[in-house]
Amino acid sequence: MNRTRLYGLIAIAILALIIGYSYITVSNGPIQPLGRLSFVKVENPDMYPGHPHSVLLAQYAQERGSQCALVVHFAGSSNYRSYEQDLNTTSSTGQNGTYIIEVAYIDTQGGGSKSLSQINFFDSFKVALFGVPDGRYKYMSDGVVYNNYTSMMNHVETLAQEHGQKGPIPMVWHGTVRTDSPFIDPGCGFPLYFQIMSNTYGLIPAYTYMIYGLIFPYLHSPYWQFELSHSSELQTLYNTGQLDYNYVNATSNVDRYYQDLSKQNLGD
């Protein structure tokens, strides 16, 4: 056996061990990492009952027998209210639905994932290697700012228990990109997804499921081709306010539900 082939077999064996270790570790844990939910915004506000990405996340959860799902964001103007998503998309009744738990992170030392032009790549590399330093992030969920990771996760676990969660909670990062290339920028919420993974399972599974999470929408989302092929157009429409939904004349249950929430400054 020549040396090149030997090195190749060793590399394959190491990769198999990493994947196997990560799979076993995660399969016995409280969080089921899925990956990126979307590439660009298709409506504004987003992640409310009846929004295509909200319905898609509920489908992911129900396919996995889960009563809840967790979606993480970079904090913007939303209060990140959690809500019930029915798969019929016409109401938010809490009957046979999926409870969507929303959490956003606030980076107290930088722009986070707002734009590639605002990211300090050396800083991001240190965070990836050693994790998020204690006290750097704050968190927003259901209108409350949590000053530490433990308090935020306690809130998530409490909501999940209150809504009948059994087994691990499926988790996605929102993934939408407002101005940069969605092919390159992992989008909204990615650093918090990585933090939850590394805190829960360690860095090796976090890296493994980070890679898997980046390809997840190509394997499972019915919208990925549309979003990517129209990304520039959708970004322009969003940034000029043309994707904004007018809830003033709300008629459906979903619209009335979000009209009430929007009065609390819930636009994403």
Side-chain angles (χ1 to χ4, degrees):
M1 181 181 297
N2 63 48
R3 186 171 297 180
T4 301
R5 185 178 179 185
L6 176 61
Y7 289 159
L9 290 174
I10 292 173
I12 292 172
I14 292 173
L15 181 61
L17 286 172
I18 290 172
I19 293 173
Y21 167 76
S22 299
Y23 176 80
I24 292 171
T25 301
V26 169
S27 65
N28 295 316
I31 299 291
Q32 182 180 15
L34 302 184
R36 186 176 191 167
L37 180 62
S38 52
F39 293 99
V40 290
K41 295 175 183 289
V42 296
E43 291 180 10
N44 185 53
D46 51 16
M47 294 312 298
Y48 63 87
H51 186 285
H53 292 150
S54 178
V55 175
L56 180 61
L57 179 54
Q59 290 172 343
Y60 288 158
Q62 293 207 2
E63 288 167 0
R64 291 158 178 82
S66 180
Q67 294 73 36
C68 300
L70 172 62
V71 55
V72 298
H73 306 263
F74 176 81
S77 59
S78 173
N79 282 339
Y80 301 98
R81 297 283 180 181
S82 305
Y83 59 88
E84 193 85 24
Q85 173 63 65
D86 288 351
L87 283 182
N88 64 17
T89 74
T90 60
S91 66
S92 180
T93 63
Q95 302 295 320
N96 300 317
T98 298
Y99 195 70
I100 306 294
I101 302 171
E102 294 200 86
V103 177
Y105 78 101
I106 303 164
D107 189 345
T108 62
Q109 298 181 27
S113 62
K114 272 189 174 180
S115 170
L116 283 174
S117 62
Q118 297 178 357
I119 292 175
N120 181 322
F121 284 97
F122 180 68
D123 173 68
S124 299
F125 182 69
K126 289 193 299 182
V127 168
L129 281 181
F130 305 111
V132 179
D134 290 342
R136 173 163 176 170
Y137 286 177
K138 295 182 184 294
Y139 308 89
M140 167 73 80
S141 182
D142 293 298
V144 176
V145 174
Y146 294 91
N147 291 321
N148 60 75
Y149 178 87
T150 301
S151 297
M152 177 272 289
M153 288 303 295
N154 285 341
H155 171 69
V156 171
E157 292 165 6
T158 298
L159 285 178
Q161 292 173 4
E162 289 175 351
H163 291 85
Q165 181 63 28
K166 299 175 182 177
I169 304 172
M171 177 177 67
V172 297
W173 78 86
H174 192 200
T176 56
V177 178
R178 300 185 184 194
T179 57
D180 299 307
S181 169
F183 291 99
I184 300 172
D185 190 334
C188 174
F190 176 73
L192 179 52
Y193 184 93
F194 184 82
Q195 185 191 27
I196 292 173
M197 285 299 298
S198 59
N199 281 16
T200 306
Y201 300 115
L203 284 175
I204 291 177
Y207 287 129
T208 302
Y209 279 90
M210 173 187 71
I211 295 170
Y212 171 73
L214 289 169
I215 65 173
F216 178 84
Y218 298 100
L219 301 175
H220 298 283
S221 174
Y223 306 125
W224 73 268
Q225 290 178 308
F226 171 79
E227 290 180 30
L228 290 178
S229 62
H230 296 84
S231 59
S232 296
E233 177 186 356
L234 287 167
Q235 287 173 330
T236 299
L237 290 172
Y238 169 78
N239 289 316
T240 56
Q242 297 180 66
L243 290 183
D244 294 350
Y245 193 94
N246 184 356
Y247 290 92
V248 173
N249 298 316
T251 56
S252 73
N253 289 335
V254 168
D255 292 345
R256 287 196 297 270
Y257 174 92
Y258 202 83
Q259 182 185 54
D260 291 338
L261 293 186
S262 65
K263 294 175 183 177
Q264 304 173 44
N265 187 29
L266 292 182
D268 188 21

